[in-house]
Amino acid sequence: MASQFAFGQAAGVPPPQGRFLDDTIVVGKPFRFAFSFRHDPRQQVFFPDSTYNYTPFEWVGQDYFTTRTDTLGSLDSTVYRLVCFDFPIQPRYQLPVYVATGQDCTAVFAPAETFRFRSVLPTTARLDTLSLRPGTEIQMLRRQFNYPVLLASIGALGLVALAIYWLFGKAMGRQWRMFLLQRRHLDFVRTFNRLNRTARDRNSIGETEKAVVVWKNYLESVERKPFASY
């Protein structure tokens, strides 16, 4: 929809039609309002949606109907579901449609429809019997950290960790040691093969000595004997 509206009745455009489908509007109870507009098929029109200000009502929902075109023109129609929470000052209501005219839109209002409003509050209530305290000040409460919940959560996590360790501690420790041994073995094989290949290609005694040192260090870590000092 264009950002600028020219409000008023468009020349030569018949007004839309709106009517209440419920006999009486009850506070807090949704009601239906039928809205239709017949126009030239070449015209582009926009109906109010959920962003429209429906004061004194509030938008609840909307049912759309397919545009029907005949010799009389195109007919667009919808049924709004509205609700009222305040007592209306005037029991009359009207909605517009927006007809695109160049770079802006012209609001075409339907004739005002009257309605009956009924409140659910008892009319015999005596408001003067209510005890009110005028000028009550709102006190802001300071936020406090919930330490009991924190301690309970830490305790529960600790118990869960102890239970897991008691049930699976040995198996997890064994798997972790096997993982470290496997990783250390792969590092040794990779390094030893690289030094061995370099010594063979270059016929280098230095690379051979490095390979022997790596091999001795690995045996020392596995057998826990001082092979490196032999």
Side-chain angles (χ1 to χ4, degrees):
M1 187 179 294
S3 59
Q4 180 182 4
F5 298 98
F7 292 96
Q9 184 70 35
V13 178
Q17 301 296 322
R19 64 187 181 91
F20 291 93
L21 300 181
D22 299 271
D23 296 335
T24 304
I25 297 176
V26 181
V27 61
K29 181 180 179 180
F31 61 91
R32 297 168 300 163
F33 183 79
F35 196 57
S36 62
F37 181 55
R38 185 176 294 276
H39 59 90
D40 191 323
R42 295 169 298 179
Q43 289 179 327
Q44 187 176 11
V45 299
F46 304 94
F47 278 44
D49 57 10
S50 59
T51 61
Y52 183 78
N53 185 6
Y54 293 89
T55 305
F57 308 132
E58 294 186 13
W59 186 91
V60 175
Q62 188 172 353
D63 298 323
Y64 300 91
F65 300 94
T66 305
T67 301
R68 293 183 297 176
T69 302
D70 52 23
T71 56
L72 299 178
S74 294
L75 178 64
D76 288 313
S77 58
T78 184
V79 174
Y80 294 98
R81 295 192 300 276
L82 308 174
V83 67
C84 184
F85 296 106
D86 296 326
F87 190 85
I89 299 177
Q90 294 182 352
R92 297 172 61 85
Y93 192 68
Q94 59 182 160
L95 280 179
V97 295
Y98 300 97
V99 181
T101 56
Q103 296 182 352
D104 57 7
C105 291
T106 299
V108 182
F109 282 85
E113 284 289 310
T114 59
F115 60 89
R116 290 184 298 176
F117 182 82
R118 180 167 61 88
S119 175
V120 295
L121 295 176
T123 57
T124 58
R126 293 178 53 85
L127 297 180
D128 55 353
T129 61
L130 299 178
S131 178
L132 302 178
R133 296 184 60 185
T136 302
E137 296 182 359
I138 300 177
Q139 297 292 333
M140 300 300 296
L141 298 179
R142 185 178 59 182
R143 288 190 174 184
Q144 296 181 354
F145 193 82
N146 199 336
Y147 289 100
V149 174
L150 175 63
L151 295 177
S153 301
I154 294 176
L157 291 176
L159 292 177
V160 172
L162 288 176
I164 294 175
Y165 180 78
W166 183 72
L167 293 174
F168 308 104
K170 293 183 178 180
M172 293 172 62
R174 183 168 58 252
Q175 292 293 331
W176 176 250
R177 289 192 297 271
M178 291 178 61
F179 170 76
L180 294 179
L181 287 174
Q182 184 180 10
R183 185 172 181 179
R184 188 159 50 240
H185 176 72
L186 292 176
D187 291 339
F188 159 72
V189 172
R190 194 160 39 242
T191 304
F192 183 82
N193 289 338
R194 177 175 55 80
L195 294 174
N196 191 29
R197 185 171 53 253
T198 304
R200 185 175 59 252
D201 294 342
R202 300 179 182 179
N203 195 19
S204 174
I205 298 177
E207 296 296 323
T208 303
E209 293 178 349
K210 291 180 181 180
V212 172
V213 171
V214 170
W215 174 65
K216 287 184 177 181
N217 290 333
Y218 177 71
L219 285 180
E220 186 175 284
S221 65
V222 174
E223 298 292 339
R224 299 187 182 278
K225 295 181 180 180
F227 290 102
S229 60
Y230 288 172

